[in-house]
Amino acid sequence: MQGHSVKSIRIAIVLIGTFSAAHAQSLPGGFVYLRDIDPSIIQDIRYATSNNFLGRPLAGYGAGECVVKREVGLRLKAVQQELAAQNLSLKMFDCYRPARASLDMVRWSQNGHESAADRRYNPRIAKTELFRLGYIASRSQHSTGAALDLTLVDLKADNSARIDPAKSYADCTAPVAARLPEGSVDMGTGYDCTDEKGHTAAPSITAEQRAWRKRLVAAMARQGFVNYSKEWWHFSLPGAGGAAYDFPIQPRRN
C-alpha cells in the first residue's frame, strides 16, 4: 500500500495521455521497465491482478510490469547480484504506481463495505482508518518511480504453491501455511498486511522471520534504499523521486 509519509514531499501530478497499444513501451524520460535492466528479478505485480486488498486490478495497471526510475533499476540490479550468490532473489510486488491508482484506493476506503477479503489484509483496522494511520496515502511516493514493494525468494525452496480459489485462507497475520501463498520466504505476514505485525521491527514475529526481514533491509540499505517502518516490504531511494506521474502501466514490447 503506502510507504513513507508523503507530507514532506512536494508532488506535482504530471498527467501523461493514455498510451495507444502501438506506443505501449513509451515511457517518460528517466523511467524504464525493470525487465530491461535485470530480467532475473522476479515480478508479481499484485495491483495488476485480483490478488490484492481491493480484490481487482487497480486503475492504471494495464500490465503486470515493474516500472522504475533508471537509477532505481540499476541499484536493484546490484542488490540482485549480491543476492544471487546466496541463492536468493528479489520479488517485486509494486513499483511505479499511477496516481490514479492511489485515488482508486481512496474510493475503495470510502465505499462503506467491509468484506471478508478486506479483513484478510486488514484484520484489526477498519479500512476508513488506513489513511489516518499511514498505511495508504492519496499521494504516494510510488508515483514518483522511486518507491518499491518487494520481498525475498529462496531459490532453493519449493515456491510452486498457487492460490486455490476453493480454499478459505486465514488473514495475513496467520502462520504461513494458513495464509495466501506468495512463493517467497516467510516474513511473518503476507504482503500489504495492515497490522502491527507487519511493522518491520514487530516484536511478535519469530526469530527466523526477523532474520529474513533484517537480511532484506540490510541488502537494500547497501544500495541506499530506506525501509518504511510500518511495512517490512516498502523501500524508497532518497533523492530519486521528484514529481508524481499518472501515466498508465502498459505491456512491455520485447
Side-chain angles (χ1 to χ4, degrees), residues 1-4 6 11 31 47 61 67-68 93-99 102 105 139-150 191 231 233-236 243-245:
M1 294 186 191
Q2 170 54 21
H4 276 310
V6 296
I11 295 182
F31 282 87
Y47 297 152
Y61 283 81
V67 173
V68 292
F93 288 131
D94 194 35
C95 303
Y96 158 74
R97 180 186 305 165
S102 294
M105 292 179 183
R139 294 178 176 179
S140 171
Q141 270 194 316
H142 279 276
S143 299
T144 72
L148 311 155
D149 293 343
L150 49 81
Y191 168 55
E231 298 176 348
W233 54 85
H234 180 96
F235 294 83
S236 59
Y245 287 76

mmCIF file of all heavy atoms in Angstrom, residues 1-4 6 11 31 47 61 67-68 93-99 102 105 139-150 191 231 233-236 243-245:
data_model
loop_
_atom_site.group_PDB
_atom_site.id
_atom_site.type_symbol
_atom_site.label_atom_id
_atom_site.label_comp_id
_atom_site.label_asym_id
_atom_site.label_seq_id
_atom_site.Cartn_x
_atom_site.Cartn_y
_atom_site.Cartn_z
ATOM 1 N N MET A 1 0.843 -1.184 0.000
ATOM 2 C CA MET A 1 0.000 0.000 0.000
ATOM 3 C C MET A 1 0.886 1.244 0.000
ATOM 4 O O MET A 1 1.702 1.442 -0.861
ATOM 5 C CB MET A 1 -0.916 0.006 1.227
ATOM 6 C CG MET A 1 -1.939 -1.115 1.228
ATOM 7 S SD MET A 1 -3.063 -0.923 2.594
ATOM 8 C CE MET A 1 -3.890 -2.488 2.523
ATOM 9 N N GLN A 2 0.740 2.076 1.037
ATOM 10 C CA GLN A 2 1.532 3.274 1.122
ATOM 11 C C GLN A 2 2.907 2.940 1.649
ATOM 12 O O GLN A 2 3.157 1.892 2.202
ATOM 13 C CB GLN A 2 0.826 4.282 2.044
ATOM 14 C CG GLN A 2 1.601 5.510 2.459
ATOM 15 C CD GLN A 2 2.161 6.292 1.297
ATOM 16 O OE1 GLN A 2 1.699 6.184 0.188
ATOM 17 N NE2 GLN A 2 3.176 7.051 1.547
ATOM 18 N N GLY A 3 3.820 3.855 1.532
ATOM 19 C CA GLY A 3 5.133 3.687 2.097
ATOM 20 C C GLY A 3 5.445 4.856 2.992
ATOM 21 O O GLY A 3 4.675 5.221 3.843
ATOM 22 N N HIS A 4 6.606 5.532 2.762
ATOM 23 C CA HIS A 4 6.987 6.681 3.558
ATOM 24 C C HIS A 4 5.887 7.729 3.584
ATOM 25 O O HIS A 4 5.109 7.865 2.648
ATOM 26 C CB HIS A 4 8.221 7.347 2.947
ATOM 27 C CG HIS A 4 9.501 6.712 3.369
ATOM 28 N ND1 HIS A 4 9.803 6.463 4.672
ATOM 29 C CD2 HIS A 4 10.555 6.287 2.639
ATOM 30 C CE1 HIS A 4 10.997 5.912 4.735
ATOM 31 N NE2 HIS A 4 11.463 5.788 3.513
ATOM 32 N N VAL A 6 4.248 11.085 2.833
ATOM 33 C CA VAL A 6 4.473 11.941 1.675
ATOM 34 C C VAL A 6 4.239 13.413 1.986
ATOM 35 O O VAL A 6 4.303 14.251 1.089
ATOM 36 C CB VAL A 6 3.559 11.523 0.507
ATOM 37 C CG1 VAL A 6 3.905 10.134 0.062
ATOM 38 C CG2 VAL A 6 2.100 11.607 0.906
ATOM 39 N N ILE A 11 4.613 17.223 -4.462
ATOM 40 C CA ILE A 11 4.230 16.365 -5.569
ATOM 41 C C ILE A 11 3.435 17.155 -6.590
ATOM 42 O O ILE A 11 2.425 17.756 -6.262
ATOM 43 C CB ILE A 11 3.398 15.166 -5.085
ATOM 44 C CG1 ILE A 11 4.270 14.275 -4.182
ATOM 45 C CG2 ILE A 11 2.873 14.359 -6.250
ATOM 46 C CD1 ILE A 11 3.562 13.053 -3.685
ATOM 47 N N PHE A 31 12.362 6.900 -16.901
ATOM 48 C CA PHE A 31 11.691 5.668 -16.475
ATOM 49 C C PHE A 31 12.097 4.500 -17.373
ATOM 50 O O PHE A 31 12.336 4.682 -18.571
ATOM 51 C CB PHE A 31 10.170 5.822 -16.526
ATOM 52 C CG PHE A 31 9.587 6.582 -15.368
ATOM 53 C CD1 PHE A 31 9.499 7.973 -15.410
ATOM 54 C CD2 PHE A 31 9.128 5.929 -14.238
ATOM 55 C CE1 PHE A 31 8.955 8.688 -14.357
ATOM 56 C CE2 PHE A 31 8.585 6.634 -13.170
ATOM 57 C CZ PHE A 31 8.498 8.022 -13.232
ATOM 58 N N TYR A 47 -1.084 -5.345 -7.979
ATOM 59 C CA TYR A 47 -2.182 -4.427 -8.290
ATOM 60 C C TYR A 47 -2.639 -4.531 -9.742
ATOM 61 O O TYR A 47 -3.632 -3.909 -10.121
ATOM 62 C CB TYR A 47 -1.791 -2.989 -7.965
ATOM 63 C CG TYR A 47 -1.522 -2.751 -6.493
ATOM 64 C CD1 TYR A 47 -0.649 -1.755 -6.076
ATOM 65 C CD2 TYR A 47 -2.143 -3.525 -5.513
ATOM 66 C CE1 TYR A 47 -0.398 -1.534 -4.730
ATOM 67 C CE2 TYR A 47 -1.894 -3.312 -4.168
ATOM 68 C CZ TYR A 47 -1.018 -2.316 -3.777
ATOM 69 O OH TYR A 47 -0.779 -2.109 -2.437
ATOM 70 N N TYR A 61 -3.266 0.085 -14.038
ATOM 71 C CA TYR A 61 -2.415 -1.108 -14.156
ATOM 72 C C TYR A 61 -2.876 -1.941 -15.348
ATOM 73 O O TYR A 61 -3.625 -2.899 -15.208
ATOM 74 C CB TYR A 61 -2.458 -1.932 -12.871
ATOM 75 C CG TYR A 61 -1.615 -1.354 -11.756
ATOM 76 C CD1 TYR A 61 -2.091 -0.311 -10.965
ATOM 77 C CD2 TYR A 61 -0.336 -1.832 -11.508
ATOM 78 C CE1 TYR A 61 -1.326 0.240 -9.954
ATOM 79 C CE2 TYR A 61 0.443 -1.300 -10.489
ATOM 80 C CZ TYR A 61 -0.057 -0.261 -9.717
ATOM 81 O OH TYR A 61 0.724 0.279 -8.720
ATOM 82 N N VAL A 67 7.859 -0.796 -13.354
ATOM 83 C CA VAL A 67 8.438 0.391 -13.987
ATOM 84 C C VAL A 67 9.075 1.233 -12.886
ATOM 85 O O VAL A 67 8.466 1.451 -11.839
ATOM 86 C CB VAL A 67 7.354 1.200 -14.726
ATOM 87 C CG1 VAL A 67 7.907 2.523 -15.245
ATOM 88 C CG2 VAL A 67 6.774 0.381 -15.875
ATOM 89 N N VAL A 68 10.311 1.684 -13.111
ATOM 90 C CA VAL A 68 11.040 2.448 -12.096
ATOM 91 C C VAL A 68 11.875 3.532 -12.760
ATOM 92 O O VAL A 68 12.078 3.518 -13.974
ATOM 93 C CB VAL A 68 11.983 1.543 -11.263
ATOM 94 C CG1 VAL A 68 11.207 0.586 -10.376
ATOM 95 C CG2 VAL A 68 12.937 0.765 -12.174
ATOM 96 N N PHE A 93 6.573 -6.619 -5.772
ATOM 97 C CA PHE A 93 5.118 -6.597 -5.650
ATOM 98 C C PHE A 93 4.519 -5.329 -6.271
ATOM 99 O O PHE A 93 3.419 -5.349 -6.802
ATOM 100 C CB PHE A 93 4.695 -6.658 -4.185
ATOM 101 C CG PHE A 93 4.895 -7.998 -3.533
ATOM 102 C CD1 PHE A 93 5.533 -8.094 -2.305
ATOM 103 C CD2 PHE A 93 4.441 -9.171 -4.128
ATOM 104 C CE1 PHE A 93 5.697 -9.325 -1.683
ATOM 105 C CE2 PHE A 93 4.608 -10.405 -3.515
ATOM 106 C CZ PHE A 93 5.246 -10.479 -2.289
ATOM 107 N N ASP A 94 5.228 -4.208 -6.157
ATOM 108 C CA ASP A 94 4.755 -2.957 -6.738
ATOM 109 C C ASP A 94 5.944 -2.030 -6.940
ATOM 110 O O ASP A 94 6.883 -2.042 -6.132
ATOM 111 C CB ASP A 94 3.711 -2.279 -5.839
ATOM 112 C CG ASP A 94 2.944 -1.171 -6.556
ATOM 113 O OD1 ASP A 94 2.694 -1.317 -7.770
ATOM 114 O OD2 ASP A 94 2.572 -0.183 -5.903
ATOM 115 N N CYS A 95 5.896 -1.238 -8.007
ATOM 116 C CA CYS A 95 6.986 -0.307 -8.314
ATOM 117 C C CYS A 95 6.360 1.057 -8.556
ATOM 118 O O CYS A 95 5.709 1.583 -7.668
ATOM 119 C CB CYS A 95 7.775 -0.825 -9.518
ATOM 120 S SG CYS A 95 8.450 -2.498 -9.276
ATOM 121 N N TYR A 96 6.557 1.630 -9.759
ATOM 122 C CA TYR A 96 5.836 2.856 -10.080
ATOM 123 C C TYR A 96 4.337 2.577 -10.006
ATOM 124 O O TYR A 96 3.861 1.547 -10.466
ATOM 125 C CB TYR A 96 6.208 3.343 -11.486
ATOM 126 C CG TYR A 96 5.168 4.258 -12.084
ATOM 127 C CD1 TYR A 96 5.031 5.566 -11.633
ATOM 128 C CD2 TYR A 96 4.284 3.782 -13.065
ATOM 129 C CE1 TYR A 96 4.037 6.388 -12.153
ATOM 130 C CE2 TYR A 96 3.297 4.605 -13.591
ATOM 131 C CZ TYR A 96 3.175 5.904 -13.132
ATOM 132 O OH TYR A 96 2.187 6.702 -13.647
ATOM 133 N N ARG A 97 3.610 3.524 -9.406
ATOM 134 C CA ARG A 97 2.159 3.398 -9.269
ATOM 135 C C ARG A 97 1.490 4.650 -9.848
ATOM 136 O O ARG A 97 1.741 5.756 -9.362
ATOM 137 C CB ARG A 97 1.772 3.260 -7.799
ATOM 138 C CG ARG A 97 0.268 3.123 -7.537
ATOM 139 C CD ARG A 97 -0.020 3.140 -6.036
ATOM 140 N NE ARG A 97 0.746 2.112 -5.353
ATOM 141 C CZ ARG A 97 0.930 2.075 -4.029
ATOM 142 N NH1 ARG A 97 0.415 3.029 -3.260
ATOM 143 N NH2 ARG A 97 1.641 1.110 -3.473
ATOM 144 N N PRO A 98 0.663 4.508 -10.873
ATOM 145 C CA PRO A 98 -0.035 5.690 -11.401
ATOM 146 C C PRO A 98 -0.816 6.393 -10.303
ATOM 147 O O PRO A 98 -1.412 5.751 -9.434
ATOM 148 C CB PRO A 98 -0.968 5.098 -12.464
ATOM 149 C CG PRO A 98 -0.341 3.790 -12.844
ATOM 150 C CD PRO A 98 0.307 3.273 -11.596
ATOM 151 N N ALA A 99 -0.819 7.718 -10.332
ATOM 152 C CA ALA A 99 -1.536 8.475 -9.303
ATOM 153 C C ALA A 99 -3.004 8.093 -9.239
ATOM 154 O O ALA A 99 -3.621 8.101 -8.170
ATOM 155 C CB ALA A 99 -1.386 9.976 -9.568
ATOM 156 N N SER A 102 -3.788 5.423 -6.662
ATOM 157 C CA SER A 102 -3.927 5.883 -5.279
ATOM 158 C C SER A 102 -5.327 6.438 -5.037
ATOM 159 O O SER A 102 -5.926 6.216 -3.976
ATOM 160 C CB SER A 102 -2.867 6.942 -4.967
ATOM 161 O OG SER A 102 -1.573 6.378 -5.002
ATOM 162 N N MET A 105 -7.669 3.685 -4.493
ATOM 163 C CA MET A 105 -7.628 3.217 -3.113
ATOM 164 C C MET A 105 -8.497 4.088 -2.212
ATOM 165 O O MET A 105 -9.172 3.596 -1.296
ATOM 166 C CB MET A 105 -6.183 3.221 -2.597
ATOM 167 C CG MET A 105 -5.277 2.212 -3.249
ATOM 168 S SD MET A 105 -3.597 2.330 -2.561
ATOM 169 C CE MET A 105 -2.737 1.119 -3.575
ATOM 170 N N ARG A 139 -1.603 10.520 -2.087
ATOM 171 C CA ARG A 139 -0.441 10.827 -2.931
ATOM 172 C C ARG A 139 0.714 9.977 -2.434
ATOM 173 O O ARG A 139 1.159 10.126 -1.297
ATOM 174 C CB ARG A 139 -0.087 12.310 -2.867
ATOM 175 C CG ARG A 139 -1.155 13.216 -3.460
ATOM 176 C CD ARG A 139 -0.776 14.672 -3.323
ATOM 177 N NE ARG A 139 -1.744 15.544 -3.974
ATOM 178 C CZ ARG A 139 -1.662 16.867 -3.980
ATOM 179 N NH1 ARG A 139 -0.654 17.461 -3.360
ATOM 180 N NH2 ARG A 139 -2.582 17.590 -4.607
ATOM 181 N N SER A 140 1.207 9.100 -3.281
ATOM 182 C CA SER A 140 2.196 8.114 -2.862
ATOM 183 C C SER A 140 3.547 8.335 -3.527
ATOM 184 O O SER A 140 3.632 8.722 -4.689
ATOM 185 C CB SER A 140 1.690 6.708 -3.214
ATOM 186 O OG SER A 140 2.696 5.750 -3.003
ATOM 187 N N GLN A 141 4.611 8.047 -2.788
ATOM 188 C CA GLN A 141 5.960 8.082 -3.360
ATOM 189 C C GLN A 141 6.092 7.110 -4.523
ATOM 190 O O GLN A 141 6.933 7.303 -5.402
ATOM 191 C CB GLN A 141 6.991 7.726 -2.288
ATOM 192 C CG GLN A 141 7.512 8.916 -1.508
ATOM 193 C CD GLN A 141 8.743 8.535 -0.723
ATOM 194 O OE1 GLN A 141 8.783 7.480 -0.091
ATOM 195 N NE2 GLN A 141 9.749 9.377 -0.725
ATOM 196 N N HIS A 142 5.273 6.070 -4.527
ATOM 197 C CA HIS A 142 5.338 5.121 -5.641
ATOM 198 C C HIS A 142 5.132 5.843 -6.976
ATOM 199 O O HIS A 142 5.687 5.432 -7.998
ATOM 200 C CB HIS A 142 4.255 4.050 -5.482
ATOM 201 C CG HIS A 142 4.618 2.954 -4.529
ATOM 202 N ND1 HIS A 142 5.373 1.861 -4.898
ATOM 203 C CD2 HIS A 142 4.303 2.773 -3.225
ATOM 204 C CE1 HIS A 142 5.515 1.054 -3.858
ATOM 205 N NE2 HIS A 142 4.876 1.589 -2.824
ATOM 206 N N SER A 143 4.339 6.891 -6.987
ATOM 207 C CA SER A 143 4.030 7.589 -8.229
ATOM 208 C C SER A 143 5.205 8.399 -8.766
ATOM 209 O O SER A 143 5.150 8.905 -9.885
ATOM 210 C CB SER A 143 2.812 8.497 -8.034
ATOM 211 O OG SER A 143 1.679 7.735 -7.680
ATOM 212 N N THR A 144 6.284 8.507 -7.991
ATOM 213 C CA THR A 144 7.486 9.178 -8.473
ATOM 214 C C THR A 144 8.445 8.205 -9.150
ATOM 215 O O THR A 144 9.423 8.631 -9.764
ATOM 216 C CB THR A 144 8.239 9.865 -7.314
ATOM 217 O OG1 THR A 144 8.871 8.871 -6.491
ATOM 218 C CG2 THR A 144 7.308 10.704 -6.467
ATOM 219 N N GLY A 145 8.210 6.913 -8.997
ATOM 220 C CA GLY A 145 9.104 5.906 -9.568
ATOM 221 C C GLY A 145 10.274 5.555 -8.685
ATOM 222 O O GLY A 145 11.182 4.827 -9.104
ATOM 223 N N ALA A 146 10.274 6.058 -7.443
ATOM 224 C CA ALA A 146 11.408 5.831 -6.554
ATOM 225 C C ALA A 146 11.052 5.007 -5.326
ATOM 226 O O ALA A 146 11.871 4.887 -4.416
ATOM 227 C CB ALA A 146 11.992 7.174 -6.109
ATOM 228 N N ALA A 147 9.847 4.436 -5.288
ATOM 229 C CA ALA A 147 9.425 3.612 -4.160
ATOM 230 C C ALA A 147 9.022 2.225 -4.658
ATOM 231 O O ALA A 147 8.536 2.077 -5.777
ATOM 232 C CB ALA A 147 8.271 4.261 -3.410
ATOM 233 N N LEU A 148 9.219 1.239 -3.799
ATOM 234 C CA LEU A 148 9.062 -0.156 -4.200
ATOM 235 C C LEU A 148 8.448 -0.975 -3.076
ATOM 236 O O LEU A 148 8.694 -0.704 -1.905
ATOM 237 C CB LEU A 148 10.435 -0.768 -4.521
ATOM 238 C CG LEU A 148 11.343 0.028 -5.445
ATOM 239 C CD1 LEU A 148 12.788 -0.336 -5.179
ATOM 240 C CD2 LEU A 148 10.964 -0.232 -6.888
ATOM 241 N N ASP A 149 7.690 -2.009 -3.440
ATOM 242 C CA ASP A 149 7.255 -3.036 -2.502
ATOM 243 C C ASP A 149 7.870 -4.343 -2.979
ATOM 244 O O ASP A 149 7.706 -4.715 -4.151
ATOM 245 C CB ASP A 149 5.730 -3.170 -2.494
ATOM 246 C CG ASP A 149 5.036 -1.937 -1.939
ATOM 247 O OD1 ASP A 149 5.701 -1.123 -1.265
ATOM 248 O OD2 ASP A 149 3.820 -1.792 -2.174
ATOM 249 N N LEU A 150 8.539 -5.059 -2.078
ATOM 250 C CA LEU A 150 9.247 -6.261 -2.514
ATOM 251 C C LEU A 150 9.515 -7.211 -1.360
ATOM 252 O O LEU A 150 9.304 -6.884 -0.200
ATOM 253 C CB LEU A 150 10.563 -5.875 -3.198
ATOM 254 C CG LEU A 150 11.491 -4.874 -2.478
ATOM 255 C CD1 LEU A 150 12.316 -5.553 -1.406
ATOM 256 C CD2 LEU A 150 12.405 -4.176 -3.460
ATOM 257 N N TYR A 191 2.117 -9.859 2.219
ATOM 258 C CA TYR A 191 2.293 -8.517 1.658
ATOM 259 C C TYR A 191 1.035 -7.676 1.889
ATOM 260 O O TYR A 191 -0.078 -8.190 1.868
ATOM 261 C CB TYR A 191 2.580 -8.643 0.162
ATOM 262 C CG TYR A 191 2.509 -7.356 -0.619
ATOM 263 C CD1 TYR A 191 3.264 -6.252 -0.247
ATOM 264 C CD2 TYR A 191 1.671 -7.248 -1.728
ATOM 265 C CE1 TYR A 191 3.192 -5.065 -0.957
ATOM 266 C CE2 TYR A 191 1.604 -6.077 -2.453
ATOM 267 C CZ TYR A 191 2.359 -4.978 -2.067
ATOM 268 O OH TYR A 191 2.280 -3.816 -2.783
ATOM 269 N N GLU A 231 5.956 -0.995 7.223
ATOM 270 C CA GLU A 231 5.766 -2.006 6.178
ATOM 271 C C GLU A 231 7.113 -2.646 5.844
ATOM 272 O O GLU A 231 7.956 -2.005 5.219
ATOM 273 C CB GLU A 231 5.162 -1.362 4.920
ATOM 274 C CG GLU A 231 3.791 -0.766 5.156
ATOM 275 C CD GLU A 231 3.227 -0.037 3.945
ATOM 276 O OE1 GLU A 231 3.992 0.208 2.983
ATOM 277 O OE2 GLU A 231 2.020 0.273 3.955
ATOM 278 N N TRP A 233 7.941 -4.521 3.657
ATOM 279 C CA TRP A 233 8.115 -4.713 2.222
ATOM 280 C C TRP A 233 8.406 -3.423 1.456
ATOM 281 O O TRP A 233 8.743 -3.478 0.284
ATOM 282 C CB TRP A 233 6.850 -5.350 1.625
ATOM 283 C CG TRP A 233 5.601 -4.568 1.952
ATOM 284 C CD1 TRP A 233 5.088 -3.486 1.267
ATOM 285 C CD2 TRP A 233 4.716 -4.776 3.060
ATOM 286 N NE1 TRP A 233 3.949 -3.017 1.882
ATOM 287 C CE2 TRP A 233 3.693 -3.787 2.990
ATOM 288 C CE3 TRP A 233 4.695 -5.703 4.109
ATOM 289 C CZ2 TRP A 233 2.667 -3.709 3.921
ATOM 290 C CZ3 TRP A 233 3.662 -5.612 5.043
ATOM 291 C CH2 TRP A 233 2.669 -4.639 4.936
ATOM 292 N N HIS A 234 8.275 -2.265 2.098
ATOM 293 C CA HIS A 234 8.340 -0.986 1.374
ATOM 294 C C HIS A 234 9.701 -0.313 1.524
ATOM 295 O O HIS A 234 10.196 -0.119 2.629
ATOM 296 C CB HIS A 234 7.253 -0.040 1.872
ATOM 297 C CG HIS A 234 7.272 1.281 1.155
ATOM 298 N ND1 HIS A 234 6.468 1.551 0.073
ATOM 299 C CD2 HIS A 234 8.018 2.397 1.349
ATOM 300 C CE1 HIS A 234 6.713 2.783 -0.360
ATOM 301 N NE2 HIS A 234 7.652 3.307 0.401
ATOM 302 N N PHE A 235 10.269 0.095 0.374
ATOM 303 C CA PHE A 235 11.559 0.776 0.348
ATOM 304 C C PHE A 235 11.497 1.941 -0.633
ATOM 305 O O PHE A 235 10.743 1.914 -1.602
ATOM 306 C CB PHE A 235 12.670 -0.191 -0.097
ATOM 307 C CG PHE A 235 12.924 -1.301 0.869
ATOM 308 C CD1 PHE A 235 12.136 -2.450 0.858
ATOM 309 C CD2 PHE A 235 13.936 -1.216 1.813
ATOM 310 C CE1 PHE A 235 12.351 -3.485 1.760
ATOM 311 C CE2 PHE A 235 14.161 -2.235 2.720
ATOM 312 C CZ PHE A 235 13.367 -3.380 2.697
ATOM 313 N N SER A 236 12.314 2.948 -0.365
ATOM 314 C CA SER A 236 12.418 4.069 -1.295
ATOM 315 C C SER A 236 13.880 4.480 -1.409
ATOM 316 O O SER A 236 14.705 4.164 -0.536
ATOM 317 C CB SER A 236 11.569 5.252 -0.834
ATOM 318 O OG SER A 236 11.980 5.696 0.446
ATOM 319 N N ALA A 243 8.642 14.707 -9.114
ATOM 320 C CA ALA A 243 7.220 14.824 -9.438
ATOM 321 C C ALA A 243 6.556 13.457 -9.474
ATOM 322 O O ALA A 243 7.187 12.449 -9.775
ATOM 323 C CB ALA A 243 7.052 15.516 -10.791
ATOM 324 N N ALA A 244 5.277 13.445 -9.157
ATOM 325 C CA ALA A 244 4.486 12.222 -9.273
ATOM 326 C C ALA A 244 3.864 12.172 -10.662
ATOM 327 O O ALA A 244 3.572 13.206 -11.262
ATOM 328 C CB ALA A 244 3.396 12.182 -8.211
ATOM 329 N N TYR A 245 3.668 10.966 -11.167
ATOM 330 C CA TYR A 245 3.155 10.769 -12.526
ATOM 331 C C TYR A 245 1.854 9.977 -12.498
ATOM 332 O O TYR A 245 1.541 9.282 -11.529
ATOM 333 C CB TYR A 245 4.189 10.017 -13.375
ATOM 334 C CG TYR A 245 5.389 10.843 -13.765
ATOM 335 C CD1 TYR A 245 6.390 11.118 -12.839
ATOM 336 C CD2 TYR A 245 5.526 11.346 -15.052
ATOM 337 C CE1 TYR A 245 7.499 11.868 -13.192
ATOM 338 C CE2 TYR A 245 6.640 12.089 -15.420
ATOM 339 C CZ TYR A 245 7.616 12.353 -14.483
ATOM 340 O OH TYR A 245 8.712 13.107 -14.840
#
